[in-house]
Amino acid sequence: MSGPLLETKLLAPRRRRTLVSRPRLSERLSRGGESALTLVSAPAGFGKTTLLTEWLAEWMAAAPAGERSVAWLSLDERDNDPALFWRYLVAAFDRVAPGVGSNALTLLQSPRPAADAVLAALLNDLGAIANDVVLVLDDFHLIGEREVHDGMAFLLEHLPAHVRLVIAGRADPALPLARLRGRGQLLEVRAAELRFTAEEAATYLTDAMGLALTARDVAALEERTEGWIAALQLAALSMQGRDDVAGFIATFAGDDRYIVDYLVEEVLQRQPDSVRTFLLQTSILSRLSGPLCDAVTGQDGGRAMLEALDRGNLFLVPLDDRRRWYRYHHLFADVLQAYLLDEQPHGIGELHRRASDWYEEHGELSEAVHHALAGGDFERAADLVEPAIPELRRNRQEATLRSWLEALPDELFRVRPVLTMGVVASLMTRGDLEGVEERLRQAEQWLDPASDRAAEMVVVDEAEFRTLPNAIAMYRAGIALVRGDVAGTMTHAGHALDLAGEDDGLARGAPAALLGLAYWTCGDLEASSRLYVDAMASLERAGHHSDVLGCSIALADMRLAQGRLREAMSIFERGLQRAEQSRPGIRGAADMHVGLSQLLRERHELDAARQHLQASSELGEHAGLPQNRYRWQTAMAGILEAEGDLDGAVALLDEAERRYVGDFSPDVRPVAALRARVLVRQGRWADALEWAGERGLSVDDELTYLHEFEHVTLARALLTRYSAERDERSLHEVTALLERLGQAAVDGGRTGSLIDVLVVDALAQQALGAVSAAQASLRRALSHAESEGYVRIFVDEGPPMAALLKALAKDGGTGSYVRRLLAALDGNAVISPVSQALIHPLSARELDVLRLLGTDLDGPDIARRLFVSLNTVRTHTKNIYAKLGVNNRRAAVRRAAELDLVARPR
């Protein structure tokens, strides 16, 4: 993020030498310090930018040095790419407070970065700034992208008090202006206030522009332009050197926009040919410097010409203190371009080519491509875009890439396979599969070296061309997975892996993950988790750290299905540690918090579960991967359900279903199925069965892992219906379904699913009066669940489960685990076996550490055993000492043994 283009975008236009002081407006802007948003909205030519530079200079001067800063961002149409817009926004803040937004920039590197996640990271940094900051977004009317407007609304809602946003543009932005106005948080300056008053017009024309005008002349000009500043400036330029000023004033009237065309023509006609030619030829440039103008015009002296135009107030706006960069006033540039098109239509392409060449030489790809496209030189534009594709994708500038590719004619792609794959990547990123296979075949035809058309092929990026076979196979695997073709996914992903080099982390990581997802969809969790571990290692080597965290979520979900809660906990803890310790930070910490919350909820540590969700929220309104929003809501719904707020849980799940964002991962625990389970607990089994009917579920279905959770949910609904209607035949159908589900879970090594099935089967057998069978199923469930710390899966069943557990307890030999579950069922939130002896019970993770404190392992060994950091072990150990009332390891082990927490030391 460097170069002349960025530099000029982040520089506030400088104060002009000849300005009319307008204290009435400066004071109004200064009084708006309590407003979250200052909006300066008016058509072109009303002095919006000039007013802001004048006011900000006074505002800065009114405080000691270092106490106030101005972050300025000048916008254009190309900034509608959200990733690019947020990069520029962060860069504007970084210019005045170095280091601010570094974590936000990292988040922008991740797949499909969420604006609120990026802005949350930025807001955290802004909150730590000590001085007052004004952020100015100039020409915001050029931004039409809805995602940017939504992000700005989020930013406005959460800006710290010492940061003020100023938006200048020709139209009102799509922001909640009415709400801000109602709260008194909006300061508005509009055209009526920006117009010159009669006194200001007189001062400007006579003092600033040096015209000898009578009061009547000034009044006539002010009346006929209605204080429109651009028209007054053009009129003043036209009158310089005229003898018959009064006659000139009488030749035009009104504030119609045609007045600009008329006055610009007057100004241009009064310029020497060299100046007029310079103005027309350089009007194609959005920003001007001496060397750039020399390159475009083919003449020397560009800097001297710009300085002369600046001195003559000829609608040139300086962009930096050293007056190296300028821009034309937008109105003036528009008219100049119209004249250029009329007078030199055949030379415009050459001017753009020169500009494109200059920008390429100076490392400004975006401007180089822009001018190549504007000049109709599509071959050159394609040559520029092709080698830039990998970098654009790494920086998540998909919108920019897409706009460039869409601007190129189709015939170019027919002979450019690498460019064609850029189109494929763009389509797949949006989830748009239409036309992808055709594009893949189009690229694939060039892989045959014996083809008689090989000479027609155009390749700029040879390295990317060599990766085409792997990329084609990988994209075909993705298409197959989205379409539910698991076998096709495996075939294509396996082929991609075969084609990938051993040291190419990205080429190996992506197909390995797709292959893992295919096995996960089939229910083969051992194979899927093994492949995912390999994929994460490959992506780690490739430096795609955010993608590694994204994979962590899927791997943890697999471990949960396998009933390996402790491993899932370690995965999330390691991910959180990675996210928090990375400098700059990487996206995903919020997702790790949500995952930990769900596991802690299962362990019945509801306070800790809430704390992790709160931590996730504080990182940026559920910031994280696109899936984070609905996962956060399902996690919070689980907590509300555990606390007895079933209505609240259903409402959150409704919202989660609306927010659901699918990806390549199989949806094995649909939000709708979670909602149906809560409906069953509410006694609304009929509604749950209606959902099952809509899904086409029945007890006789052929079983697949993809619908396993839904079928267990169906069994729960049918069991509850039996309690109401006593239809014993249907209950036998339920137990038969559960038997098949249980066997499928055993065969697939899905212990988590098996525990779920066994719990429902125990309740079904209990309903049938088959006490021995009920106890047998429950014992099997407990034997799998105890070592992993399951609690809520039993406790959520309420009194029927309590009765079964009490019956087991009477038989003896069930140990502390059943007593802990019964305590939780009785409403005791403390589930640790030390609940009678400790005021603050140990968490499940602290118990894990405590058991290892009784071994010969040292701190680093314990950290490695639990897959956590040494600092995490030290924190847990400190908490253990405090809760047990001891101050060393040996005393902790001894005290734990006295409380039957661990085996007694020998």
Side-chain angles (χ1 to χ4, degrees):
M1 290 184 60
S2 60
L5 172 62
L6 177 60
E7 180 183 353
T8 57
K9 289 179 74 68
L10 303 182
L11 288 171
R14 315 317 300 171
R15 295 180 72 182
R16 301 305 304 267
R17 298 183 183 90
T18 53
L19 281 174
V20 174
S21 177
R22 309 181 77 187
R24 63 184 177 89
L25 293 178
S26 294
E27 290 171 8
R28 177 166 167 71
L29 288 169
S30 295
R31 288 197 303 270
E34 299 302 315
S35 302
L37 172 63
T38 296
L39 176 63
V40 183
S41 180
F46 274 86
K48 300 181 290 294
T49 302
T50 302
L51 170 65
L52 289 176
T53 55
E54 172 80 7
W55 165 62
L56 287 170
E58 296 174 2
W59 180 75
M60 290 282 288
E67 287 192 6
R68 291 177 173 177
S69 303
V70 176
W72 186 287
L73 177 56
S74 298
L75 298 164
D76 58 45
E77 293 91 342
R78 284 160 286 179
D79 300 330
N80 276 285
D81 181 336
L84 196 61
F85 179 91
W86 301 127
R87 274 188 174 80
Y88 286 149
L89 184 74
V90 171
F93 279 118
D94 180 71
R95 187 178 181 86
V96 299
V100 165
S102 59
N103 289 336
L105 286 176
T106 302
L107 295 178
L108 285 166
Q109 307 291 330
S110 60
R112 291 188 292 174
D116 55 1
V118 174
L119 295 176
L122 176 61
L123 287 164
N124 286 338
D125 290 349
L126 290 176
I129 296 178
N131 58 312
D132 292 335
V133 179
V134 169
L135 168 65
V136 180
L137 300 181
D138 197 16
D139 288 330
F140 193 77
H141 64 277
L142 297 173
I143 304 301
E145 174 61 44
R146 175 64 181 272
E147 184 178 330
V148 173
H149 290 151
D150 290 346
M152 290 305 304
F154 175 89
L155 185 71
L156 263 174
E157 191 70 24
H158 297 87
L159 271 180
H162 60 277
V163 180
R164 181 177 173 187
L165 175 62
V166 177
I167 287 179
R170 300 183 189 178
D172 285 359
L175 296 173
L177 300 182
R179 186 170 73 224
L180 291 168
R181 194 177 292 120
R183 294 177 180 174
Q185 295 179 336
L186 175 64
L187 173 64
E188 300 171 84
V189 178
R190 298 189 174 275
E193 297 162 288
L194 288 167
R195 296 180 191 276
F196 271 171
T197 64
E199 293 78 9
E200 289 168 344
T203 301
Y204 174 73
L205 292 168
T206 57
D207 295 350
M209 297 301 290
L211 296 172
L213 300 179
T214 67
R216 177 174 294 182
D217 291 336
V218 171
L221 278 173
E222 193 279 327
E223 178 183 357
R224 288 171 179 172
T225 62
E226 295 189 357
W228 185 20
I229 300 171
L232 280 170
Q233 184 176 359
L234 284 164
L237 289 169
S238 298
M239 287 186 291
Q240 288 178 339
R242 287 183 181 273
D243 296 327
D244 185 14
V245 170
F248 172 79
I249 293 173
T251 60
F252 72 93
D255 68 343
D256 191 291
R257 195 56 53 91
Y258 289 115
I259 195 174
V260 175
D261 297 338
Y262 171 73
L263 291 173
V264 169
E265 184 176 0
E266 286 287 315
V267 172
L268 285 176
Q269 286 178 349
R270 298 173 65 81
Q271 304 303 319
D273 287 344
S274 60
V275 174
R276 190 175 190 280
T277 299
F278 181 90
L279 290 170
L280 293 181
Q281 291 183 340
T282 58
S283 68
I284 67 164
L285 301 171
S286 59
R287 291 168 180 80
L288 307 101
S289 71
L292 174 57
C293 291
D294 290 345
V296 170
T297 63
Q299 304 292 324
D300 294 330
R303 180 169 183 174
M305 180 69 78
L306 290 172
E307 290 173 349
L309 295 175
D310 183 27
R311 287 193 298 272
N313 291 312
L314 205 59
F315 283 84
L316 196 67
V317 181
L319 296 177
D320 59 9
D321 288 323
R322 289 173 288 181
R323 282 177 156 72
R324 292 184 307 170
W325 284 92
Y326 301 81
R327 69 168 173 84
Y328 290 124
H329 189 288
H330 298 312
L331 274 177
F332 194 53
D334 290 344
V335 178
L336 289 176
Q337 289 167 15
Y339 274 86
L340 177 65
L341 182 63
D342 183 55
E343 296 180 13
Q344 304 177 31
H346 302 298
I348 294 176
E350 175 62 20
L351 296 173
H352 280 294
R353 186 194 62 76
R354 295 173 184 174
S356 179
D357 287 345
W358 189 90
Y359 274 118
E360 183 189 12
E361 291 172 8
H362 289 79
E364 292 288 352
L365 174 69
S366 178
E367 289 291 311
V369 173
H370 165 72
H371 283 288
L373 291 173
D377 191 347
F378 298 118
E379 290 283 352
R380 171 171 174 73
D383 289 346
L384 290 167
V385 171
E386 182 175 311
I389 290 174
E391 183 68 19
L392 287 168
R393 297 194 63 212
R394 272 193 297 272
N395 292 333
R396 309 303 176 190
Q397 290 179 241
E398 280 89 359
T400 295
L401 175 60
R402 183 166 64 251
S403 68
W404 289 347
L405 293 173
E406 289 175 349
L408 297 174
D410 281 343
E411 55 266 22
L412 276 180
F413 296 100
R414 296 193 183 102
V415 295
R416 292 176 178 259
V418 176
L419 203 64
T420 297
M421 291 302 290
V423 177
V424 170
S426 179
L427 291 171
M428 292 290 286
T429 299
R430 304 201 307 268
D432 183 2
L433 301 186
E434 186 177 353
V436 170
E437 180 56 39
E438 180 185 351
R439 296 280 188 179
L440 291 175
R441 285 196 297 268
Q442 195 176 86
E444 196 171 32
Q445 68 176 332
W446 298 104
L447 297 179
D448 181 5
S451 171
D452 56 2
R453 296 182 58 204
E456 300 175 33
M457 182 173 65
V458 179
V459 172
V460 179
D461 191 337
E462 292 286 349
E464 281 298 301
F465 179 73
R466 289 192 292 272
T467 68
L468 281 191
N470 167 272
I472 290 170
M474 182 191 68
Y475 284 124
R476 282 185 171 142
I479 293 170
L481 189 61
V482 170
R483 291 176 173 167
D485 180 5
V486 175
T489 303
M490 291 181 175
T491 298
H492 292 303
H495 184 47
L497 277 174
D498 292 339
L499 293 169
E502 287 296 326
D503 299 327
D504 193 336
L506 186 59
R508 297 196 67 81
L514 287 168
L515 194 56
L517 290 172
Y519 278 104
W520 185 11
T521 302
C522 294
D524 188 346
L525 299 183
E526 276 301 324
S528 64
S529 57
R530 185 173 60 253
L531 283 160
Y532 244 72
V533 169
D534 291 344
M536 291 166 67
S538 296
L539 292 169
E540 181 72 38
R541 290 197 304 274
H544 285 238
H545 305 301
S546 290
D547 292 330
V548 173
L549 282 192
C551 289
S552 296
I553 300 172
L555 183 59
D557 283 346
M558 295 175 200
R559 295 303 189 217
L560 286 173
Q562 292 175 304
R564 291 150 72 168
L565 265 62
R566 296 186 188 280
E567 286 190 40
M569 181 80 77
S570 294
I571 290 169
F572 285 129
E573 287 178 334
R574 289 199 304 273
L576 183 59
Q577 177 188 345
R578 172 189 294 276
E580 292 179 339
Q581 292 182 354
S582 294
R583 293 292 180 271
I586 56 177
R587 187 181 182 191
D591 305 274
M592 301 301 104
H593 280 297
V594 171
L596 287 168
S597 174
Q598 291 173 313
L599 290 169
L600 290 165
R601 186 264 184 200
E602 176 54 45
R603 288 184 165 187
H604 198 42
E605 298 179 35
L606 301 184
D607 288 342
R610 273 187 176 275
Q611 289 168 9
H612 276 287
L613 288 186
Q614 179 63 30
S616 176
S617 296
E618 289 172 356
L619 287 173
E621 200 177 73
H622 323 155
L625 300 174
Q627 292 75 26
N628 181 272
R629 295 184 180 188
Y630 87 84
R631 289 179 73 106
W632 189 97
Q633 287 166 325
T634 58
M636 180 56 78
I639 293 174
L640 294 181
E641 180 187 2
E643 294 173 343
D645 182 3
L646 300 183
D647 289 338
V650 169
L652 264 179
L653 290 170
D654 285 339
E655 179 64 20
E657 195 165 13
R658 286 192 291 272
R659 285 180 175 264
Y660 175 75
V661 177
D663 58 7
F664 288 102
S665 298
D667 187 15
V668 293
R669 290 172 65 91
V671 176
L674 292 168
R675 181 180 183 275
R677 292 193 175 202
V678 181
L679 294 178
V680 169
R681 301 200 199 290
Q682 287 182 309
R684 296 167 58 187
W685 52 266
D687 292 337
L689 288 175
E690 182 180 352
W691 157 81
E694 291 170 355
R695 291 287 296 154
L697 301 171
S698 79
V699 295
D700 299 319
D701 289 340
E702 182 179 344
L703 300 183
T704 64
Y705 171 61
L706 202 56
H707 299 292
E708 188 170 74
F709 187 80
E710 291 178 303
H711 277 116
V712 179
T713 305
L714 170 64
R716 290 176 176 276
L718 291 171
L719 175 58
T720 306
R721 184 180 72 174
Y722 168 78
S723 300
E725 297 185 349
R726 295 295 171 181
D727 181 358
E728 192 167 314
R729 183 179 60 83
S730 66
L731 191 55
H732 284 294
E733 291 176 345
V734 169
T735 57
L737 171 62
L738 291 168
E739 183 177 358
R740 291 195 297 137
L741 286 167
Q743 188 58 53
V746 170
D747 294 343
R750 300 188 294 274
T751 304
S753 299
L754 178 61
I755 294 171
D756 192 19
V757 171
L758 290 171
V759 166
V760 183
D761 187 63
L763 296 173
Q765 298 295 346
Q766 179 191 44
L768 285 170
V771 177
S772 296
Q775 291 189 353
S777 290
L778 184 56
R779 286 182 188 277
R780 283 184 66 195
L782 293 169
S783 68
H784 291 299
E786 180 175 9
S787 62
E788 297 295 332
Y790 281 91
V791 176
R792 290 305 316 183
I793 197 165
F794 300 102
V795 172
D796 286 341
E797 303 304 332
M801 179 55 65
L804 278 173
L805 288 170
K806 286 175 182 176
L808 282 183
K810 287 181 181 178
D811 291 343
T814 56
S816 61
Y817 185 45
V818 170
R819 292 196 297 273
R820 290 165 60 197
L821 295 178
L822 285 170
L825 279 159
D826 286 340
N828 185 352
V830 179
I831 64 166
S832 167
V834 300
S835 59
Q836 299 297 320
L838 296 180
I839 296 174
H840 301 290
L842 300 181
S843 70
R845 205 50 166 166
E846 288 165 354
L847 285 170
D848 292 339
V849 174
L850 178 58
R851 293 187 187 98
L852 294 176
L853 289 177
T855 69
D856 294 332
L857 298 176
D858 61 13
D861 288 336
I862 292 174
R864 283 189 288 272
R865 178 71 63 86
L866 296 176
F867 301 102
V868 298
S869 70
L870 182 57
N871 282 338
T872 299
V873 170
R874 287 170 175 164
T875 299
H876 287 317
T877 303
K878 181 179 178 182
N879 292 339
I880 291 167
Y881 290 174
K883 291 178 180 182
L884 296 180
V886 298
N887 56 19
N888 61 65
R889 179 171 179 168
R890 181 175 297 177
V893 174
R894 186 182 303 111
R895 175 64 172 147
E898 292 170 356
L899 295 168
D900 291 328
L901 291 174
V902 298
R904 293 182 179 274
R906 297 177 181 177

